[in-house]
C-alpha cells in the first residue's frame, strides 16, 4: 500500500520535473541565421538557390508571333493579353529580388573570405540586373527595391521611371563586371562570369536604343549600344568565345566556345520537360507539340534562303514540290517536314510523316501537327516517349552569335554598315552557306541602313528560330503591328493514292488561324502590371494604354 | 502482484515503453488474467446450490427481453428471454439479484430464501440518472450546463462500417458529416457548428481521455465504443483550450462489466453497388457527337475524320463490342467484418477484450482495405482505495490500389476513373486479347493492372490510469494517466510500364478495328520517365501524461465538484523515403532490383517534434439540484509560438436553472416533467498552423547543376514574433424539456461564435514587391450563428415499443474582417459573406438561333476573347475592367457571386426504432440542406477527340438541327464558355437519404440455449438505399463525376452471445 502511494508520487514528480523539456524544442529541418552566414558552403548554397530561381529556362514564346502556330490556349497573338490574363507573359519576381537584397545586406557582416564575398557580390548584382531587365523589357519602369523591406517600411512603393530603371540595371552590371571572375573551374562551368555580364550589358543597351524605348531614334542611345556591344564582342573574343563550328550540333555539344549565358540541365539534378512539347505525339506523352501549339508556321519555313544564301522568292533553284532541297542548312537543323528522316527515340530509319490524316502525327489528326511541320532544333533523339519529360539539353540564353548580331545591329544603326556585313558573313559561313563567287554568301551588296535592318532581322529570325527571341525582337522594333490582320499558314500534304504512299503527295497551302487573324494592339509594347498588384497598392500606377493607365513608360 | 505493478510503472517511465516494455506489459496482462481465473475459483468454492427463476415484465405486464440479471457481488448472471423468463443456477441462498435494463430503474431484490422471483421493471424518469462523458470526467445529464450531445455505442454498431466517422451521419444536431467517397476504408469529414475559420476546421478527437488525430479515431473498431460525446459550446470544450474551437469529440471505449464472462461474436457480409451510375454515351452516340463536333469546326464534308455511315451502322449493330471501359472492369465490392469480444469481471477485476477484422474490396480487383484490431481494457481494484486500469489497443490497416501517377496517390482515384469513364467507346479496349489504343494514348485498364500502391499503418496505443481515493478526506481523489502511442506508416508505390498496340483499321473512313485486324505496332506506354519503386516510412511517437486532483462532496443542499489537472504532451516524428528507378525485371517488386546507377536511386528523410503543456481547472456548484453553476479554465503552452506568446488562458462560465424543480412550477404544471434553461459563454482557441513561424529560418532545398550538383538554401517564411492562437468567443443558450412523463423530450440550442485573431497571411493587402513569403498573422474575424433542435418521442403499443428522434442543425457564417486589397472594386468585397462562396459567370442561355445570336452580339462583341457564335453558351456582360457598366466584353470582370451555400448550412437526421418481441426495426434518414454544388472543372470539360468522349448528359447538345437542346454545342476548341464555372453548372446539392436501415431478429431463448448461447440474432441492414435529391449528375456527396462513386450496401449479419 505505502509502496503504491510512493509510486504514485513518483509519477507525479516525474511529470512535473520534466515540464521544462516539453516546450524546449526546435525545428529539426531548418537552418539558422548563424549557420548560413558563417559557413562558406551554405552561403554559396544561398547564391545557388538565387541562380536556380532566376536563371532563364526553356521558353515557348514561338507561339506568340509568326514563328509558330499558337495552339488552342495561347492568346498573345490574338490580342488577348489583359491585366488579369497575361497569356504567359507576366513576370514579377520580387520574391527573388528580396533574396538577392538579403544576401547583399548579409555579406558585409558575415565571416567569409574576401574572395568569396567579391564573387557572391558580383553574382548578386548580375542577377538583380537580369531580373530587373526582364521586367523593364515587359513593363517599362517598375519599383526599384534595393534593400530588404520590413513591415514598418512604406510598402506602397511607386514605379520608378523607365530611364531610372535602365540606369540602375547598367550600374548593377558595371558592378558585376568589376567583381565577377573571368571564369570558374570546370566544376562550376555555367556559373555567371564576367563575359555574361558584358554580353547582357550589350543586350540591355540594344533594347534601350531600340524603337520600343527610343521611338524618337535618339542617336546617343545607339552610340551607347554600339560601344557596349563592341566591347562585349571584343572582350569575349579575347576570352576565347567564338562561333561553334557546326550550327546543327550546337545544342548537343554542351558548354562549347559559343555558349555565353546558360542554364544547365542534367538528369537527375535538373531536367526540363520542354523537349517533350516539341516532339510529335507518337514519340511523346499527352498532347505534345501540336496540341499545345508550336508547330513551325509557313512564314518561318519560307524565311530560310537557298544554300547559296539567296531568298527563295522567284529563285529558279527553288522547287516548291521539294521545298527542302538545296536550302540553308539551318532549315534542316530546325524544321521537320513530311517524309523527313527523324530518328527519334533511337529508332533507326524512322520517317516523320505529317500528311493529312496520318494518325497521330499528321495534319487533321486530333493530336497531329497543325501546320504540317515539327521543330527539331535542340530536340534530343535518344529519349523515348516516356523519358522525353526529362530533357537534359542546356538552355542557352545568350550565345556568342547573339553578341555578334547585337553588335551588327548597333553598328548598322550608327552607320558602321561594313561591320554588319562582316558579321553576317561570319554567321552565314558557319551556317554552311556557300560563299559564292562574290564571297557575299547571298547577301545583297550596298544595302542602306533600312535595308540592312530588314536583312539583320530576317537573319535573327532564322538563326535564332525557336530560341525565344523573335517575339521580343519584333516588339523591340515596334514591328508587331506588321503582323496584325495576317494569318499563319501551313502546308498540307495529301496522299495521292490513300493506299500507296509511294505515289506521293499533293501539297496545298492552308490557313492555320481559321477563326481569327493575328492581332497585336499598340499597347502590347508595354505590358500592364498585374491587376491584383494595382489593386493592392494605390501608388502603383497602371501602364498607359491599359485599364485606367497613369504611368508613362517612355519617361 | 505489487512487485509486478512497480515493474510496469518503471517501464512506463522510460521512453522506450513500447519498444522494450510492450512485451512486458502483455506478460502483465496475462498475469492479470491468471488472477481472474483464481478469483473465480474462490467464488466456486463459496457457492451453495440454489436455482432461481422467474419472469420480468414492464409496468403493463408485457414481457421484457434482454434484462440483465446478476447475482450481486459475483460474476454470475443471465439475460431474460423473449418471453421475459430467466433462470440462474448455483445462487447462494442469501444472495441479492440485480435487475437492470436500459431506460429502466435498476432493482435489487434479496432472495431471502425464495427461488422464484417475478419482477416488474419501472421506466426510469428519462435521463435523470444518465451520465454523460465530459472533458476530464463525467456529469449527470440533468446537471449539464453546456451544449453536449451524447451517443451510445450501440447506436454506432447497428450497421456495418469500416470507420467511426461514417457512422455518425445524422445522429448529432449541428454536426455535418459528409462522406468523401465510397472507397473501402474511406472516411467522412466532420464539421461541428459551421465554419469559423479558413485554417483547421476539424474538431478535436479525444479517445479515453487523450487527444488523438482523426486517423486514430477512424481506426477505432466501432464495436469497441462505449459512448461518444460531442462538446459543442465553450462551457464544455474550453477545458481543451487552444485546440477546441471547432468542438470536441470524446470517445470512451468499453470496459468490463461485473458479470460472468460474456463472449460475443458478430459477423457481417456486405455487398455494395453505386448509388448512382454515371450516364455514358454508347459508341454510336460518341461517334455522332464527334461528327457534330467536326461540323462545328468546319471540317470539310468529305474529310475522313467524320465517321462514315457504314461505320455508324456497325456501332449500332454491334453494341456488345463497344462497351464503356469502366463497366468492363467493374467488380462488385464485398466486405466482411468479424468481431469477437469478451466482457466480464468480478469485484476486483473487470476486463473487456476484443478482436476485430475488416476486409473490403473495391470496384477493381486490385483495390482493397484490411483492418485488424485488438483491444484489452482491464481495470483492477488493487487495494480498497487504489484502482489501476490499463487499456491497450493495436491495429493494423492495409490499403491497396493501383498506382496511377496522375492520381498522385490519392484515395479518390479520380484521374484513372475519369480515364475509364470518358474513354470513347469507339475504342475497343482489347482486340484478340491484346490491349488496343489509338496512337500512343494511354490504356486505363492496362494502367490499372501495372504497378501497385500500398499503404500500411500499424498503431500501438497504451494507457495506464491510476485512481487513488484519499482515505481520510471524503470525496478527494487523485488521478494519474499516462499514454504512449506509436504509429508506423509504410507506403510503397510501384510504377511500371505496360505495352499497348495499334491495329490496322477498316471501314470506309478507317475508324473500325475488327477482330483479327493486322497488328501494326506494339509500343511501351508510360507517363513517368522511369519505372520506379518509392517507399515512404514515417514513425510518430506520442507521449502524453496528465495528473489530476478531484474533490466532490455535498454539504446539505450544496453540491461541489472541483477539478485541477496538469497535462503535457510531446510527439516525435521521423520520416524516411527511398526510391529506385529503371527496372530490368518486373518480377522483383523491390528497390533492390532497380538500376544500380546512383542517379537512379534516391533517399531522403526528415524529422520534427512538438510539445504542449497545460493546466486545467473546473468548479461545479449546484444548490439543491435547481441552480447549476460551472466555471472552468485551461492555461495552455505550445511550441508553435514564441516563448512570450506561448501561453494562452481559456476561461468559461455557464449556468443552468432547472425550472421544473421549483415548487411554483411543479405544483401548477403537470404535463411538463422537466424544464431546464442553460446559458454559457467562454473562450476557446485554435492553433493548427505551421510551427516556428516566429523564427527566421532557412530551408535547405533546390539543386542547381554546373557540371556538378549544388544544393540550395533559401529564406523560409518571414518571421512573425507576435503570432499566437486564434480565439473563439462562444455563447450558447439552451433549453431542455420533457413532457408526458418524459416520453416526449425536446432540446434546443442557439449559439453565436465570434472567432477573432484568425491566422492568415495578408497576401491580399501586402504588395508582392515586398517579396517575402508572408507569415500567418492574427488578423481576421468571422462570426457564426446557428441553432440546433432535437426532439424525441417514445411510447408503447401493446408489445410494440418505438422511439422516434429527430434533429436539425443550422449554422451560417459571415466574414467580419479580413484583408482586402486597397483598390479592389466594391463587388469583390467579401465582408458579410460566408467564408466560402461560389463565383462564376451568369449564364445568358444558349445562342440557339440566328436571332438569339444577333441580339446577343448587339450587346456583347467578345465572349471570353472570341466573337460569339451559334450554339455557344452565352454569359451576361455586367461590368468592364474599370467601370460597373457593361463594356461589350465578357471576361473575368463579369464573374459574380452565384451562391453563398458553398458549404451545407443545414444538417438533419430522423431516427425510428421499433421493437417487438425478438424483432428490432430501425431506420435513419439523414441529409444536408442549403447546399449548392458547382460542378468541378474536370466534369465540365467539353474537350472531345476520337479518344475522349463526353458524359451522357451531352447527348442532347446543340446542332443547327437541334436548336432546343439542353446542352450547348460540343468542342472546347471553339466554345470555352461552356467549360467555365457558371450558373449553368450550379445545382442544389440538398439531399435526404435513407442512410441506414436495419432489421434484426433474436431467436427465442429456448432455441439459442440448445447451443448454450444466451442470444442469437440475425441482422439485415442497408445503407444509402434511397436518396432524394435534385442534383442530377451524380450523387451529391461524390466530389466529382469521376470520383470514386458513393456506394449503397446490403448487409447480412449474425451475432451470437455465449
Amino acid at each position: 500500500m505505502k509502496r503504491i502511494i510512493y509510486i504514485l508520487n513518483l509519477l507525479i514528480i516525474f511529470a512535473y520535473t520534466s515540464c521544462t523539456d516539453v516546450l524546449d524544442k526546435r525545428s529539426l529541418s531548418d537552418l539558422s541565421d548563424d549557420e548560413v552566414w558563417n559557413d562558406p558552403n551554405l552561403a554559396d548554397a544561398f547564391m545557388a538557390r538565387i541562380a536556380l530561381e532566376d536563371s532563364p529556362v526553356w521558353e515557348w514564346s514561338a507561339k506568340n508571333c509568326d514563328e509558330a502556330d499558337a495552339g488552342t490556349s495561347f492568346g498573345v497573338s490574338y490580342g488577348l493579353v489583359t491585366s488579369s490574363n497575361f497569356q504567359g507573359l507576366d513576370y514579377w519576381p520580387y520574391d527573388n529580388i528580396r533574396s538577392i537584397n538579403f544576401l547583399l545586406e548579409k555579406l558585409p557582416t558575415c565571416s567569409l573570405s574576401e574572395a568569396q564575398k567579391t564573387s557572391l557580390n558580383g553574382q548578386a548584382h548580375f542577377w538583380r540586373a537580369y531580373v530587373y531587365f526582364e521586367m523593364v523589357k515587359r513593363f517599362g519602369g517598375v519599383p526599384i527595391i534595393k534593400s530588404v523591406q520590413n513591415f514598418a517600411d512604406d510598402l506602397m512603393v511607386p514605379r520608378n521611371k523607365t530611364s531610372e530603371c535602365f540606369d540602375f540595371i547598367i550600374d548593377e552590371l558595371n558592378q558585376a563586371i568589376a567583381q565577377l571572375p573571368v571564369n570558374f573551374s570546370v566544376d562550376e562551368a555555367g556559373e555567371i562570369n564576367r563575359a555574361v555580364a558584358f554580353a547582357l550589358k550589350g543586350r540591355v543597351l540594344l533594347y534601350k536604343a531600340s524603337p520600343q524605348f527610343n521611338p524618337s531614334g535618339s542617336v546617343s542611345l545607339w552610340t551607347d549600344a554600339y560601344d557596349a556591344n563592341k566591347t562585349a564582342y571584343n572582350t569575349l573574343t579575347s576570352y576565347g568565345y567564338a562561333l561553334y563550328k557546326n550550327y546543327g550540333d550546337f545544342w548537343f555539344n554542351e558548354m562549347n566556345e559559343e555558349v555565353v549565358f546558360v542554364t544547365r540541365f542534367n538528369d537527375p539534378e535538373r531536367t526540363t520537360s520542354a523537349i517533350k512539347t516539341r516532339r510529335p505525339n507518337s514519340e511523346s506523352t499527352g498532347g505534345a507539340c501540336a496540341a499545345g501549339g508550336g508547330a513551325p508556321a509557313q512564314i518561318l519555313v519560307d524565311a530560310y534562303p537557298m544554300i547559296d544564301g539567296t531568298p527563295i522568292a522567284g529563285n529558279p533553284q527553288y522547287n516548291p514540290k521539294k521545298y527542302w532541297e538545296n536550302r540553308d542548312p539551318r532549315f534542316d537543323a530546325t524544321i521537320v517536314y513530311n517524309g523527313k528522316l527523324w530518328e527519334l527515340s533511337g529508332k533507326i530509319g524512322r520517317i516523320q510523316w505529317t500528311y493529312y490524316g496520318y494518325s497521330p502525327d499528321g495534319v487533321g489528326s486530333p493530336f497531329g501537327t497543325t501546320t504540317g511541320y515539327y521543330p527539331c532544333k535542340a530536340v534530343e533523339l535518344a529519349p523515348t516517349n516516356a523519358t522525353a519529360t526529362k530533357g537534359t539539353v542546356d538552355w542557352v540564353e545568350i550565345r556568342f552569335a547573339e553578341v555578334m548580331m547585337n553588335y551588327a545591329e548597333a553598328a548598322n544603326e550608327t552607320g558602321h554598315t561594313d561591320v554588319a556585313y562582316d558579321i553576317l558573313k561570319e554567321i552565314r559561313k558557319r551556317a554552311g552557306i556557300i560563299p559564292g563567287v562574290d564571297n557575299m554568301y547571298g547577301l545583297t551588296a550596298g544595302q542602306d541602313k533600312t535595308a540592312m535592318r530588314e536583312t539583320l532581322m530576317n537573319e535573327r529570325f532564322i538563326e535564332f528560330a525557336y530560341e525565344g527571341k523573335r517575339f521580343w525582337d519584333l516588339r523591340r522594333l515596334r514591328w508587331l503591328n506588321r503582323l496584325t490582320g495576317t494569318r499563319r499558314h501551313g502546308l498540307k500534304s495529301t496522299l495521292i493514292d490513300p493506299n500507296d504512299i509511294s505515289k506521293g503527295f499533293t501539297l496545298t497551302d492552308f490557313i492555320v488561324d481559321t477563326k481569327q487573324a493575328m492581332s497585336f494592339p499598340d499597347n502590347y509594347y508595354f505590358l500592364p502590371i498585374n491587376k491584383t498588384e494595382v489593386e493592392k497598392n494605390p501608388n502603383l500606377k497602371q501602364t498607359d494604354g491599359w485599364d485606367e493607365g497613369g504611368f508613362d513608360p517612355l519617361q | 502482484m505489487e512487485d509486478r505493478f512497480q515493474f510496469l510503472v518503471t517501464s512506463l517511465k522510460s521512453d522506450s515503453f513500447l519498444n522494450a516494455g510492450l512485451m512486458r506489459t502483455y506478460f502483465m496482462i496475462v498475469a492479470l488474467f491468471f488472477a481472474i481465473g483464481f478469483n473465480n475459483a474462490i467464488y466456486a468454492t463459496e457457492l451453495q446450490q440454489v436455482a432461481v427463476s422467474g419472469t420480468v415484465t414492464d409496468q403493463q405486464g408485457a414481457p421484457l427481453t434482454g434484462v440483465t440479471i446478476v447475482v450481486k457481488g459475483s460474476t454470475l448472471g443471465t439475460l431474460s428471454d423473449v418471453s421475459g423468463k430467466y433462470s440462474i443456477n448455483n445462487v447462494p441462498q442469501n444472495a441479492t439479484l440485480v435487475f437492470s435494463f436500459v431506460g429502466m430503474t435498476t432493482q435489487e431484490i434479496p432472495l431471502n430464501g425464495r427461488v422464484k422471483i417475478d419482477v416488474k421493471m419501472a421506466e426510469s424518469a428519462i435521463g435523470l440518472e444518465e451520465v454523460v462523458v465530459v472533458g476530464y470526467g463525467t456529469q449527470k445529464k440533468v446537471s449539464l450546463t453546456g451544449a453536449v450531445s451524447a451517443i451510445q455505442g450501440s447506436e454506432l454498431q447497428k450497421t456495418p462500417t469500416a470507420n467511426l466517422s461514417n457512422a455518425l451521419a445524422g445522429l448529432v444536431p449541428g454536426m455535418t458529416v459528409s462522406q468523401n467517397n465510397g472507397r473501402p476504408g474511406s472516411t467522412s469529414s466532420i464539421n461541428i457548428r459551421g465554419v469559423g475559420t479558413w485554417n483547421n476546421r476539424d474538431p478535436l478527437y479525444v479517445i479515453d481521455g487523450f487527444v488523438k488525430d482523426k486517423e486514430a479515431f477512424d481506426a477505432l473498431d466501432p464495436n469497441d465504443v462505449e459512448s461518444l460525446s460531442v462538446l459543442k459550446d465553450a462551457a464544455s470544450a474550453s477545458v481543451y483550450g487552444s485546440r477546441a474551437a471547432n468542438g470536441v469529440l470524446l470517445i470512451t471505449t468499453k470496459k468490463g462489466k461485473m458479470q460472468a464472462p460474456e463472449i460475443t461474436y458478430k459477423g457481417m457480409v456486405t455487398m455494395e453497388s453505386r448509388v448512382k451510375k454515371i450516364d455514358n454515351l454508347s459508341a454510336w452516340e460518341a461517334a455522332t457527337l464527334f461528327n457534330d463536333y467536326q461540323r462545328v469546326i468546319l471540317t470539310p464534308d468529305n474529310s475522313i475524320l467524320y465517321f462514315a455511315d457504314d461505320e455508324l451502322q456497325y456501332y449500332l449493330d454491334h453494341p456488345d463490342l463497344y462497351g464503356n471501359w469502366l463497366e468492363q472492369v467493374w467488380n462488385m465490392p464485398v466486405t466482411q467484418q468479424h468481431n469477437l469480444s469478451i466482457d466480464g469481471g468480478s469485484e476486483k477485476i473487470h476486463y473487456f477484450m476484443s478482436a476485430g477484422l475488416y476486409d473490403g474490396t473495391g470496384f477493381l480487383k486490385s483495390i482493397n482495405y484490411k483492418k485488424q484490431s485488438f483491444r484489452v481494457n482491464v481495470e483492477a481494484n488493487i487495494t480498497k482505495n487504489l484502482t489501476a486500469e490499463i487499456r491497450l489497443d493495436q491495429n493494423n490497416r492495409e490499403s491497396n490500389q493501383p498506382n496511377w501517377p496522375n492520381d498522385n496517390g490519392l484515395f479518390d482515384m479520380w484521374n484513372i476513373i475519369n480515364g475509364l469513364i470518358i474513354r470513347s467507346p469507339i475504342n475497343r479496349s482489347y482486340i484478340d486479347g491484346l490491349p488496343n489504343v489509338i496512337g500512343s494514348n494511354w490504356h486505363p485498364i492496362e494502367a490499372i493492372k501495372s504497378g501497385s500502391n500500398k499503404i500500411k499503418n500499424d498503431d500501438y496505443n497504451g494507457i495506464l490510469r491510476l485512481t487513488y481515493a484519499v482515505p481520510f478526506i471524503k470525496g478527494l481523489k487523485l488521478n494519474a494517466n499516462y499514454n504512449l502511442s506509436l504509429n508506423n506508416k509504410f507506403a510503397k508505390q510501384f510504377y511500371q510500364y505496360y505495352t499497348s498496340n495499334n491495329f490496322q483499321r477498316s471501314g470506309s473512313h478507317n475508324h473500325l478495328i475488327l477482330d483479327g485486324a493486322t497488328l501494326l505496332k506494339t509500343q511501351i506506354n508510360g507517363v513517368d520517365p522511369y519505372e520506379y519503386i518509392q517507399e515512404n516510412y514515417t514513425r510518430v511517437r506520442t507521449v502524453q501524461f496528465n495528473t489530476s486532483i478531484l474533490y466532490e462532496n455535498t454539504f446539505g443542499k450544496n453540491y461541489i465538484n472541483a477539478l485541477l489537472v496538469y497535462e503535457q504532451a510531446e510527439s516525435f516524428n521521423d520520416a524516411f523515403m527511398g526510391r529506385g528507378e529503371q527496372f530490368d525485371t518486373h518480377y522483383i517488386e523491390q528497390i533492390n532490383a532497380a538500376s544500380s546507377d546512383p542517379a537512379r536511386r534516391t533517399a531522403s528523410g526528415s524529422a520534427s517534434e512538438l510539445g504542449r503543456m497545460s493546466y486545467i481547472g473546473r468548479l461545479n456548484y449546484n444548490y439543491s439540484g435547481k441552480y447549476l453553476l460551472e466555471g472552468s479554465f485551461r492555461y495552455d503552452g505550445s511550441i508553435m509560438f514564441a516563448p512570450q506568446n506561448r501561453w494562452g488562458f481559456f476561461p468559461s462560465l455557464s449556468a443552468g436553472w432547472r425550472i421544473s424543480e421549483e415548487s411554483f412550477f411543479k405544483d401548477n404544471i403537470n404535463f411538463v416533467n422537466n424544464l431546464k434553461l442553460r446559458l454559457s459563454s467562454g473562450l476557446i482557441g485554435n492553433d493548427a498552423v505551421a510551427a516556428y513561424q516566429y523564427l527566421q529560418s532557412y530551408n535547405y532545398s533546390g539543386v542547381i547543376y554546373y557540371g556538378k550538383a549544388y544544393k540550395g538554401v533559401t529564406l523560409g517564411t518571414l518571421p512573425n514574433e507576435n503570432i499566437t492562437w486564434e480565439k473563439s468567443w462562444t455563447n450558447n443558450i439552451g433549453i431542455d424539456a420533457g413532457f408526458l412523463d418524459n416520453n416526449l423530450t425536446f432540446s434546443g440550442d442557439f449559439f453565436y461564435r465570434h472567432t477573432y485573431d484568425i491566422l492568415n497571411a495578408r497576401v491580399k493587402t501586402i504588395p508582392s514587391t515586398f517579396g517575402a513569403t508572408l507569415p500567418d498573422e492574427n488578423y481576421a474575424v468571422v462570426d457564426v450563428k446557428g441553432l440546433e433542435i432535437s426532439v424525441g418521442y417514445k411510447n408503447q403499443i401493446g408489445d410494440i415499443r418505438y422511439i422516434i428522434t429527430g434533429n436539425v442543425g443550422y449554422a451560417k457564417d459571415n466574414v467580419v474582417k479580413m484583408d482586402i486589397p486597397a483598390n479592389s472594386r466594391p463587388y469583390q468585397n467579401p465582408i458579410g459573406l460566408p467564408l466560402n462562396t461560389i463565383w462564376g459567370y451568369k449564364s445568358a442561355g444558349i445562342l440557339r438561333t440566328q436571332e438569339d445570336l444577333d441580339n446577343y452580339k448587339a450587346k456583347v462583341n467578345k465572349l471570353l476573347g472570341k466573337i460569339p457564335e451559334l450554339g455557344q453558351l452565352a454569359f451576361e456582360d455586367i461590368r468592364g475592367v474599370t467601370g460597373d457598366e457593361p463594356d461589350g466584353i465578357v471576361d473575368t470582370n463579369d464573374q459574380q457571386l452565384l451562391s453563398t451555400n458553398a458549404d451545407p448550412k443545414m444538417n438533419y437526421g430522423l431516427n425510428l426504432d421499433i421493437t417487438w418481441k425478438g424483432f428490432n426495426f430501425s431506420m435513419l434518414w439523414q441529409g444536408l440542406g442549403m447546399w449548392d454544388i458547382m460542378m468541378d472543372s474536370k466534369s465540365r470539360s467539353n474537350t472531345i477527340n476520337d479518344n475522349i468522349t463526353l458524359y451522357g448528359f451531352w447527348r442532347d447538345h446543340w446542332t443547327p438541327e437541334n436548336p432546343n437542346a439542353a446542352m450547348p454545342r460540343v468542342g472546347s476548341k471553339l466554345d470555352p464558355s461552356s467549360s467555365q464555372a457558371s450558373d449553368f453548372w450550379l445545382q442544389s446539392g440538398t439531399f435526404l437519404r435513407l442512410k441506414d436501415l436495419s432489421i434484426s431478429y433474436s431467436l427465442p431463448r429456448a432455441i439459442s440455449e440448445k447451443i448454450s448461447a444466451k442470444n442469437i440474432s440475425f441482422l439485415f441492414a442497408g445503407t444509402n438505399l434511397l436518396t432524394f435529391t435534385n442534383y442530377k449528375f451524380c450523387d451529391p456527396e461524390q466530389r466529382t463525376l469521376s470520383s470514386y462513386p458513393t456506394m449503397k450496401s446490403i448487409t447480412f449479419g449474425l451475432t451470437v452471445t455465449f
Side-chain angles (χ1 to χ4, degrees), chain B residues 820-989:
Chain B
I820 302 169
N823 274 357
S824 72
R825 311 239 321 253
Y827 79 91
Q828 294 168 318
N829 191 350
I831 304 297
L833 296 176
L835 269 178
N836 295 311
T837 50
I838 299 175
W839 280 70
Y841 295 99
K842 183 115 179 155
S843 158
I846 297 168
L847 302 175
R848 299 176 187 281
T849 61
Q850 190 61 42
E851 193 192 349
D852 285 354
L853 179 63
D854 293 342
N855 289 340
Y856 186 70
K857 276 167 102 170
K859 290 179 286 184
V860 174
N861 46 47
K862 281 242 166 143
L863 174 60
L864 303 182
K866 291 184 179 170
I867 297 160
E869 289 179 23
L870 269 178
Q872 259 193 301
L873 181 64
F875 296 143
E876 282 181 10
D877 174 27
I878 52 172
R879 58 180 92 79
V881 186
T882 54
D884 282 341
E885 294 298 320
D887 63 344
I889 296 169
V890 171
D891 57 15
T892 47
N893 295 300
D894 296 299
Q895 292 188 352
Q896 54 178 306
L897 179 69
L898 296 177
S899 169
T900 56
N901 292 336
D903 294 312
K905 288 203 178 88
M906 197 186 258
N907 60 79
Y908 36 84
L910 184 71
N911 203 337
L912 173 67
D913 192 282
I914 303 170
T915 309
W916 177 67
K917 295 196 170 158
F919 286 96
N920 176 275
F921 172 84
S922 94
M923 208 162 55
L924 173 68
W925 291 83
Q926 172 258 343
L928 299 173
M930 303 183 74
W931 184 25
D932 291 327
I933 302 174
M934 173 66 73
M935 193 194 265
D936 67 289
S937 57
K938 190 89 185 165
S939 310
R940 293 196 303 261
S941 161
N942 56 348
T943 300
I944 181 170
N945 54 53
D946 57 0
N947 190 43
I948 306 269
T949 189
L950 301 178
Y951 289 101
F953 56 79
W954 283 96
R955 202 172 279 120
D956 185 21
H957 59 275
W958 186 93
T959 59
E961 299 77 38
N962 184 20
N964 295 318
M967 303 298 294
R969 66 183 187 182
V970 290
S972 63
K973 199 167 184 177
L974 299 154
D975 195 358
S977 58
S978 64
S979 59
Q980 295 289 317
S982 74
D983 59 354
F984 186 80
W985 296 110
L986 187 71
Q987 280 186 17
S988 166

Side-chain angles (χ1 to χ4, degrees), chain B residues 117-304:
Chain B
I117 294 178
D118 294 337
V119 175
K120 246 184 197 173
M121 300 288 284
E123 291 189 26
S124 57
I126 194 159
L128 281 183
E129 297 305 312
E130 203 179 316
V131 164
V132 173
V133 178
V134 295
Y136 302 95
T138 56
Q139 241 176 324
K140 281 183 184 169
K141 195 170 181 185
V142 286
S143 50
L144 277 179
T145 49
V148 179
S149 296
I151 299 170
Q152 292 306 309
S154 56
E155 289 184 64
L156 306 173
Q157 289 143 21
K158 275 182 189 161
T159 45
T161 171
N163 292 301
L164 259 181
S165 57
N166 297 350
L168 291 172
L171 295 179
V172 180
M175 187 158 90
T176 305
V177 179
S178 40
Q179 202 173 336
N180 298 331
N181 63 64
R183 194 183 187 290
S186 73
T187 61
S188 294
S189 57
I190 293 179
N191 183 249
I192 297 170
R193 284 187 163 182
V195 181
T197 173
W198 42 82
N199 294 315
N200 175 40
R201 306 156 157 208
D202 297 332
L204 186 71
Y205 296 90
V206 179
I207 302 172
D208 286 333
F210 288 102
V211 173
K212 301 286 172 190
D213 58 8
K214 171 124 193 301
E215 210 172 324
F217 169 74
D218 272 317
L220 270 181
D221 188 330
N223 292 301
D224 291 352
V225 175
E226 176 72 35
S227 72
L228 188 146
S229 295
V230 184
L231 314 181
K232 296 189 280 193
D233 69 336
S236 46
S238 69
V239 288
Y240 288 105
S242 63
R243 288 187 282 177
N246 301 312
V248 183
L249 261 76
L250 294 177
I251 300 93
T252 310
T253 59
K254 285 177 179 170
K255 61 180 188 180
K257 291 193 274 293
M258 201 166 83
Q259 64 180 22
E262 186 175 278
I263 301 168
T264 304
Y265 164 79
K266 196 171 163 184
M268 299 187 199
V269 178
T270 302
M271 279 146 283
E272 293 181 358
S273 62
R274 279 163 282 188
V275 168
K276 185 162 183 166
K277 212 164 150 177
I278 304 297
D279 180 17
N280 290 304
L281 298 178
S282 69
W284 180 83
E285 287 168 333
T288 313
L289 191 84
F290 187 74
N291 280 355
D292 288 343
Y293 164 65
Q294 293 298 339
R295 265 194 293 158
V296 172
I297 61 166
L298 305 175
T299 304
D301 285 346
N302 58 356
S303 166
I304 56 158

Side-chain angles (χ1 to χ4, degrees), chain A residues 1 3-5 7-8 10-12 14-16 18-19 22-23 25-28 30-33 36-37 42 45-46 48-49 51-52 72 80 84 92 94-95 98 102 106 143 145 149-151 155-157 186-191 264-270 281-282 284-285 356 359-360 364 366-367 385-387 389-390 515-516 531 533-538 547-548, chain B residues 2-3 6 9 13 303 305 382-383 386 438-441 466 468 497 524 526 528-530 545 547 566 568-570 599-600 607-613 637 639 646-647 692 697-715 718 763-772 774 777 821-823 828 865-866 869 881-882 892-893 945-946 973-974:
Chain A
M1 175 68 199
R3 188 184 284 166
I4 289 166
I5 294 172
I7 292 162
L8 196 65
L10 259 187
L11 253 177
I12 293 169
F14 155 72
Y16 278 96
S18 64
C19 291
V22 174
L23 298 182
K25 302 238 179 348
R26 59 160 287 185
S27 170
L28 301 177
D30 292 328
L31 295 161
S32 74
D33 218 57
V36 173
W37 298 113
L42 289 178
F46 195 89
R49 180 62 189 248
L52 181 67
T72 49
L80 292 179
S84 51
W92 200 247
Y94 280 95
D95 48 349
R98 185 183 182 92
F102 197 92
K106 281 285 177 189
I145 293 167
Q149 291 180 328
N150 294 310
F151 272 130
L155 303 180
M156 299 300 166
V157 290
V186 180
D187 272 355
E188 295 161 316
E191 273 199 71
R264 307 206 59 191
F265 291 94
N266 191 55
D267 187 15
E269 294 88 357
R270 194 181 186 190
N281 194 45
S282 63
S284 187
T285 44
Y356 181 63
S359 179
F367 293 115
N385 58 355
T387 54
T389 55
K390 294 221 168 187
K515 283 287 163 180
Q516 51 192 333
K531 199 172 151 189
E533 289 309 309
V534 177
E535 279 172 2
K536 279 190 236 179
N537 179 354
D547 303 350
E548 283 164 324
Chain B
E2 284 182 1
D3 285 342
Q6 187 181 19
V9 171
K13 273 159 51 178
S303 166
L305 292 174
I382 292 170
T383 68
L386 182 68
I438 294 179
S440 64
N441 281 302
L466 296 174
Y468 181 62
Y497 299 155
I524 291 173
D528 274 5
Y530 305 106
F545 173 80
T547 176
Y566 165 77
Q568 67 176 50
E570 283 175 286
R600 304 271 70 86
S608 64
E609 47 189 37
L610 278 176
R612 294 170 188 282
M613 226 167 110
I639 58 147
R646 183 164 277 181
W647 288 91
Y692 306 113
S697 64
Y698 295 80
N699 308 130
Y700 199 46
S701 73
V703 173
I704 198 161
Y705 178 76
Y706 299 121
K708 205 174 109 174
Y710 292 89
K711 196 95 181 159
V713 165
T714 187
L715 284 172
L718 183 76
V763 287
K764 287 180 181 156
T765 42
I766 306 285
S768 53
T769 44
F770 187 56
L774 296 174
E777 290 179 74
N823 274 357
Q828 294 168 318
K866 291 184 179 170
E869 289 179 23
V881 186
T882 54
T892 47
N893 295 300
N945 54 53
D946 57 0
K973 199 167 184 177
L974 299 154

Side-chain angles (χ1 to χ4, degrees), chain B residues 100 106 128 155 278 284 304 310 419 447 463 524 550 651 668 674 749 768 788 808 833 881 953 963 1010 1035 1040:
Chain B
S100 60
T106 301
L128 281 183
E155 289 184 64
I278 304 297
W284 180 83
I304 56 158
D310 61 316
I463 295 174
I524 291 173
L550 175 72
N668 296 311
N674 177 34
D749 280 282
S768 53
E788 286 136 24
V808 59
L833 296 176
V881 186
F953 56 79
K1010 285 183 182 158
D1035 186 80
T1040 70

